[in-house]
Amino acid sequence: MWKALKARLYQGYRTGNFPVKAPPALPERFAGRAEVDQEKCAEYKEVLAEVCPVKAISFSDGKISLDMGKCIFCRKCAEKCEGIRFGKEYRLAAMKREDLIVNNSYYTPPLPQDKSLAKLCGRSLKIRQVSAGGCAACELDFNVLNTLAWDMGRFGIQVVASPRHADCILVTGPVTKNMLLALKKTYEAAPRPVWVIACGACAVSGGLYEKSSQCEEKLEDILKVDLYIPGCPPHPSTILEGIMRLMGKGAGPENK
């Protein structure tokens, strides 16, 4: 016991200040929201259309668009074209699917148009997490938020064991045939109103498994999604910031 107390006194306060004082410390290889320079991308259209493994890049009226909801952040497009850059912007979550489409370098994190969650759950949010068939990467990064370094409980955010105690359902992974019924039952068991969070590329769009014969419809075709958190997997700071923004707690400090 004394050794544990001594170690705690020596280590001091270990929980980060996120998101109050400064942007979170991000790893050197962190890839945030994409930035697109249309002029520089003009000559790379054919190359970019072929290089993306999840077909996140499309063209319309001569302009390139990058769907962050499909993107797995492999950065193959950035390697081929200097007009695409993945910066350090970690505030990637959006309340509408179309807000994940990038076609320029300007960005302001969107605020929720529906204030009902902030009104009911602005100070305390209970989450039931459902893995609908993913690889566990998104689940692991979400679980990190329960650790000492992040401690999402200080913001009133907690994971609950039963959907009957949940305010929202956080879904990870593509919706597989084996998990479809369990997902629907979880949603039906939650008290109303209940909100849905799609966490990770697979939950948002199907990701690498979009065309898999073992996957059902996309999550947004089954349940109404209130928050989209892109990434493969999303960084813990991206997940936490998105949830807090949905709760009406701001957009967090900017990473420049």
Side-chain angles (χ1 to χ4, degrees):
M1 177 180 177
W2 289 113
K3 288 184 178 181
L5 289 173
K6 183 179 179 181
R8 183 59 59 230
L9 289 171
Y10 175 77
Q11 292 177 4
Y13 187 78
R14 305 296 289 181
T15 306
N17 290 322
F18 179 88
V20 180
K21 295 184 178 180
L26 299 170
E28 184 179 345
R29 288 178 53 81
F30 176 82
R33 188 177 189 274
E35 299 173 3
V36 176
D37 186 321
Q38 294 290 345
E39 292 185 5
K40 292 182 179 179
C41 289
E43 59 182 293
Y44 294 96
K45 291 182 180 180
E46 294 183 4
V47 175
L48 292 174
E50 295 297 327
V51 74
C52 181
V54 289
K55 306 302 179 185
I57 297 175
S58 60
F59 298 90
S60 178
D61 297 328
K63 292 187 177 182
I64 180 176
S65 294
L66 198 159
D67 187 346
M68 300 301 295
K70 289 186 175 183
C71 181
I72 59 172
F73 296 80
C74 65
R75 289 182 276 199
K76 291 183 178 181
C77 56
E79 294 172 1
K80 295 290 184 180
C81 174
E82 60 181 8
I84 298 178
R85 173 182 174 270
F86 288 85
K88 295 296 183 181
E89 178 57 81
Y90 68 97
R91 301 172 300 173
L92 304 175
M95 288 70 188
K96 295 188 294 184
R97 184 66 177 84
E98 54 266 33
D99 287 339
L100 296 179
I101 308 299
V102 177
N103 52 30
N104 55 46
S105 299
Y106 305 102
Y107 179 65
T108 300
L111 296 176
Q113 299 298 311
D114 183 359
K115 306 293 184 180
S116 57
L117 185 140
K119 183 178 180 180
L120 291 175
C121 310
R123 299 183 64 181
S124 176
L125 183 69
K126 310 299 183 184
I127 299 176
R128 177 67 173 101
Q129 193 269 320
V130 176
S131 174
C135 67
C138 294
E139 293 90 318
L140 288 172
D141 273 9
F142 175 64
N143 290 342
V144 164
L145 297 177
N146 280 311
T147 64
L148 182 65
W150 293 92
D151 187 21
M152 67 179 179
R154 62 194 159 124
F155 302 117
I157 306 170
Q158 295 179 319
V159 176
V160 293
S162 171
R164 298 189 184 280
H165 303 154
D167 301 307
C168 69
I169 309 296
L170 186 144
V171 183
T172 57
V175 182
T176 60
K177 292 180 178 180
N178 288 342
M179 281 301 297
L180 177 60
L181 180 59
L183 175 62
K184 288 183 175 180
K185 284 188 173 182
T186 299
Y187 179 79
E188 291 167 1
R192 298 300 186 263
V194 60
W195 291 268
V196 176
I197 300 174
C199 183
C202 289
V204 174
S205 65
L208 288 167
Y209 306 99
E210 183 180 7
K211 304 297 183 180
S212 173
S213 61
Q214 297 305 307
C215 293
E216 293 287 345
E217 301 173 85
K218 295 178 182 178
L219 175 64
E220 63 182 359
D221 294 329
I222 301 170
L223 304 175
K224 179 184 177 296
V225 178
D226 300 282
L227 180 66
Y228 297 89
I229 306 177
C232 189
H235 191 272
S237 62
T238 300
I239 301 173
L240 181 58
E241 189 278 328
I243 294 174
M244 292 186 65
R245 191 162 12 116
L246 187 66
M247 294 173 67
K249 294 180 178 290
E254 182 180 358
N255 238 104
K256 298 182 178 180

